[in-house]
Amino acid sequence: MLREYQGYVLAHRLRRAVGGRVAPAGDVLTLAGYAARRIERQDLARRLVRGGLPPGGMGQLDALSGELMFGFWLNPAEVAAFLRAALRQGGHPALGDPQAFASLLTPEERERLGDTGVRLVCAHHLSCLTLAAPMLDPDALAGVWARVEATTPPLFVDELARSGQAG
């Protein structure tokens, strides 16, 4: 779940930087806040699978998924929808430039990661953004997945370091 939270934080920062329609509605959740919302989402998903979702539960599940940006980096359809919306409003350098993407990290995170770690974080997340392009070409998609898996970054966001979880 820590990597999932870290992905949420970076997605939130990227969406905030791009702005417009893709900007998140509120401030970034703390790790504890994210965990609580994630458990709530997990409970609704479990109830959906078991057929006991209350009226309005599907809307609530969708809203939580949106708030948590659940699957943002690794879901080709989600990435494609985000990129289409971001590009319609003019894009952002962080969508393709590693230095611009690195600017989404705090100074403490960049220091904690070092140059090699920052390059890995940028390569990983920019590779994730390329998941949208080859959705119809299984061979190209396999190549992108290989790049994504080869660049899994360490835990580094400030909230995790403050709680003693990053290392």
Side-chain angles (χ1 to χ4, degrees):
M1 174 147 128
L2 297 178
R3 287 193 198 286
E4 183 182 307
Y5 174 74
Q6 182 166 279
Y8 157 77
V9 170
L10 286 181
H12 195 281
R13 290 177 187 170
L14 178 61
R15 292 175 77 120
R16 174 85 54 217
V18 171
R21 292 182 181 198
V22 300
D27 292 333
V28 69
L29 295 168
T30 64
L31 179 58
Y34 181 89
R37 302 295 279 165
R38 179 64 169 84
I39 289 169
E40 184 180 351
R41 184 196 175 280
Q42 188 173 351
D43 180 56
L44 283 169
R46 190 176 301 114
R47 291 169 73 184
L48 173 65
V49 169
R50 292 186 179 145
L53 200 60
M58 193 61 171
Q60 189 178 5
L61 181 61
D62 286 343
L64 283 168
S65 295
E67 177 186 5
L68 299 175
M69 294 172 239
F70 190 73
F72 178 84
W73 293 107
L74 301 178
N75 180 332
E78 181 75 19
V79 170
F82 165 73
L83 288 174
R84 278 192 299 274
L87 294 174
R88 272 195 301 271
Q89 60 191 43
H92 189 278
L95 296 176
D97 176 14
Q99 287 184 328
F101 193 90
S103 72
L104 299 174
L105 306 176
T106 67
E108 294 82 6
E109 290 165 353
R110 287 192 296 273
E111 183 178 331
R112 189 174 308 115
L113 285 166
D115 291 340
T116 301
V118 169
R119 281 194 300 275
L120 177 63
V121 167
C122 294
H124 175 77
H125 290 89
L126 291 174
S127 291
C128 289
L129 292 178
T130 66
L131 287 171
M135 285 176 57
L136 300 176
D137 180 354
D139 294 328
L141 185 58
V144 171
W145 273 112
R147 283 198 326 265
V148 168
E149 291 171 351
T151 59
T152 301
L155 296 172
F156 64 88
V157 297
D158 291 337
E159 175 81 11
L160 300 177
R162 283 191 288 271
S163 67
Q165 300 296 317

